[in-house]
Amino acid sequence: MLVNNRYHRQMLFDPIGETGQKRLQESHVVIVGVGALGSSSAEMLARAGVGTLTLIDRDYVEETNLQRQQLFSEEDVRMQTPKVIAAKKRLEEINHLITIYAEVIDAGVDELEAIAPEANLVIDATDNFDTRLIINDICQKHHKPWIYGACVASYGVTFTVLPGETPCLHCMMDHIPSDGATCDSVGIISPAVQMVVSYQVTEALKILTGNLDTLSGKLIAFDLWKNQQMELQVASLKDDTCPSCSKKQYPHLTYQAQLKTAVLCGRNTVQIRTNGKKVMHFEEIKKHLERNQQIKLFSNPYLLSFEIDKYRVVVFGDGRTLIHGTKNVQEAKKVYYQYVG
Amino acid sequence: MEIIVNGDPLEVSEGITNIEELIQELRLEKKSLIVEHNQTILKKEKHKDTAISEGDRLEIVHFVGGG
């Protein structure tokens, strides 16, 4: 009975109905980033019965996440569980009828090239513009709709990009802003997250059920604390010289390929990526580190973390290392070479 | 001079004559913005040449990266 009843109220909603529900079950949505936006999107789409979800995130659960990242628990913080692993576990408790793929990876060009072509739709739930612009170009290249969403403080903004129809993110952004406003510097309240996700998931449901004529077509922004709501008709910004969506040069796919280190904004952390598909041998690293009495070690099947001096270092199986305790790339590299090699 | 920005009235000094100056006054110049002026989307190169008058309605949306 559970199976028959579970989507009943959603199917009563006329624009979805039985046909729409079947389409949702046959759909595959990729969610890039499983922090606040991604947790919320994933939960709504899982409950709605989207047949396949792929969750991508490079990070693990920390205490400061719990205020807004709804799929995670205190136990996940204690275990430093990767976000997608914790999310998959919770989502399977919610809906065992769907398939969830959890990818503990950094969403770079190669990773998204391997995953995005399989999807019907990509939901942006990342925390940075580098990744968003990769999503933008990958989705143009493979002709997939994607839904931009972002928030900070009590402000949020969202837009649905349809390749060949709407402007893309590259058309609309004249530069990548560097004003230092991130969730870690000026904060974030949970309702701003949920509002962005409400727009994103509604647009996703429209696309997946074939209700394209009801898509908003607008750049939507709001500030909940200031009681402001903005909706801009931006069709005129579609640029017929845009290298991403008109000229098909996909500049962000080539640029990103060069990136090896990234300062994680506001987190006092540097991420270091090794070349290609290097596999980290945790046991070897552990063996070396255990010889140093000053080092406090922790490991689970997905990562190895240790503390030394003022740094906390977390090594992931896919070849990435997070150096917490510095924003300086050179300093981080030094720590990396000293302890990870 | 009073204009409406994002639905709220805003008193701007007489020294502010165009959109570019307004954006600087609001300290938004470092952000990546989309500006709608009296229901027309303005490309950035038009900000300097677009005069502001009493009662104008502006919608200013900026892109953010958090999530």
Side-chain angles (χ1 to χ4, degrees):
Chain A
M1 281 312 287
L2 188 64
V3 174
N4 291 334
N5 279 331
R6 122 171 259 147
Y7 306 118
H8 179 250
R9 301 298 189 271
Q10 184 167 275
M11 286 157 68
L12 279 180
F13 180 65
D14 198 41
I16 294 180
E18 205 172 317
T19 316
Q21 191 60 45
K22 192 159 178 291
R23 286 186 177 181
L24 292 179
Q25 280 157 13
E26 290 162 357
S27 296
H28 179 185
V29 174
V30 173
I31 301 175
V32 187
V34 185
L37 292 172
S39 288
S40 182
S41 270
E43 182 167 340
M44 281 196 214
L45 293 171
R47 287 185 188 276
V50 170
T52 308
L53 294 176
T54 297
L55 313 178
I56 305 176
D57 197 288
R58 62 187 175 193
D59 209 353
Y60 59 92
V61 181
E62 292 183 285
E63 190 184 13
T64 56
N65 302 150
L66 296 182
Q67 161 255 359
R68 66 195 182 284
Q69 302 187 14
Q70 67 196 56
L71 295 175
F72 309 137
S73 66
E74 292 176 1
E75 176 68 3
D76 297 324
V77 175
R78 274 192 294 277
M79 299 308 294
Q80 299 185 25
T81 312
K83 288 183 173 180
V84 293
I85 302 295
K88 177 177 156 76
K89 179 168 171 283
R90 174 67 184 136
L91 293 171
E92 285 174 344
E93 289 167 0
I94 290 168
N95 190 348
H96 73 288
L97 300 171
I98 62 171
T99 304
I100 299 162
Y101 298 106
E103 304 286 351
V104 190
I105 54 174
D106 192 28
V109 175
D110 294 343
E111 291 79 5
L112 289 175
E113 275 281 10
I115 293 169
E118 311 285 317
N120 299 96
L121 170 74
V122 176
I123 293 201
D124 160 35
T126 67
D127 62 358
N128 68 86
F129 283 111
D130 288 338
T131 310
R132 285 193 174 93
L133 288 165
I134 295 174
I135 294 171
N136 185 68
D137 282 15
I138 292 269
C139 286
Q140 290 296 331
K141 188 174 168 187
H142 296 285
H143 213 77
K144 303 291 179 186
W146 73 279
I147 307 173
Y148 163 66
C151 49
V152 67
S154 54
Y155 179 87
V157 55
T158 178
F159 183 72
T160 302
V161 179
L162 298 178
E165 293 181 36
T166 67
C168 75
L169 195 61
H170 191 101
C171 294
M172 293 193 294
M173 292 189 70
D174 52 34
H175 68 285
I176 304 300
S178 55
D179 57 4
T182 71
C183 298
D184 302 282
S185 60
V186 297
I188 175 79
I189 56 168
S190 200
V193 174
Q194 300 298 346
M195 185 75 120
V196 170
V197 173
S198 294
Y199 282 114
Q200 284 184 297
V201 172
T202 306
E203 293 277 282
L205 292 175
K206 290 174 183 174
I207 291 170
L208 298 174
T209 59
N211 287 290
L212 298 179
D213 53 331
T214 56
L215 288 168
S216 90
K218 290 174 178 169
L219 176 67
I220 294 172
F222 58 81
D223 190 316
L224 291 172
W225 209 262
K226 294 180 182 166
N227 309 304
Q228 292 176 341
Q229 171 83 23
M230 292 78 82
E231 294 191 4
L232 303 190
Q233 182 48 259
V234 289
S236 65
L237 292 175
K238 184 159 173 53
D239 176 3
D240 55 17
T241 66
C242 174
S244 292
C245 68
S246 292
K247 299 292 179 192
K248 305 201 180 303
Q249 294 160 343
Y250 316 121
H252 304 292
L253 303 187
T254 51
Y255 166 75
Q256 185 67 15
Q258 308 304 314
L259 204 72
K260 297 292 188 290
T261 58
V263 180
L264 304 190
C265 281
R267 284 190 54 189
N268 204 25
T269 298
V270 175
Q271 172 177 271
I272 296 175
R273 288 178 80 176
T274 55
N275 291 325
K277 306 276 178 210
K278 183 175 168 186
V279 179
M280 289 306 204
H281 296 288
F282 287 161
E283 290 310 313
E284 290 298 309
I285 300 170
K286 246 166 100 174
K287 219 186 298 172
H288 290 123
L289 294 172
E290 276 164 358
R291 292 162 60 181
N292 186 333
Q293 303 286 313
Q294 292 178 323
I295 294 179
K296 282 197 292 183
L297 260 175
F298 173 90
S299 69
N300 66 26
Y302 312 100
L303 56 82
L304 168 75
S305 93
F306 59 92
E307 288 177 33
I308 181 72
D309 302 329
K310 62 170 184 150
Y311 307 105
R312 191 157 56 86
V313 180
V314 182
V315 186
F316 288 84
D318 69 343
R320 288 174 302 109
T321 301
L322 297 180
I323 316 278
H324 300 288
T326 179
K327 288 175 192 157
N328 182 307
V329 169
Q330 299 311 320
E331 195 183 339
K333 277 186 177 169
K334 189 182 153 198
V335 174
Y336 178 79
Y337 286 129
Q338 272 180 318
Y339 297 107
V340 182
Chain B
M1 170 171 67
E2 191 177 277
I3 61 173
I4 308 287
V5 176
N6 294 344
D8 292 329
L10 179 75
E11 185 65 37
V12 294
S13 66
E14 296 305 318
I16 308 291
T17 61
N18 64 47
I19 302 286
E20 188 181 88
E21 289 166 0
L22 177 72
I23 287 167
Q24 283 167 4
E25 174 76 7
L26 296 173
R27 299 191 176 175
L28 294 172
E29 72 275 11
K30 291 210 173 97
K31 296 186 187 288
S32 188
L33 301 169
I34 307 284
V35 178
E36 187 188 80
H37 177 241
N38 295 333
Q39 303 200 316
T40 302
I41 299 283
L42 289 183
K43 297 212 166 160
K44 195 179 182 184
E45 52 268 27
K46 296 263 178 73
H47 289 183
K48 202 171 180 174
D49 301 330
T50 305
I52 300 179
S53 318
E54 176 79 28
D56 277 2
R57 298 189 75 92
L58 283 139
E59 299 285 319
I60 304 176
V61 168
H62 64 276
F63 290 97
V64 294

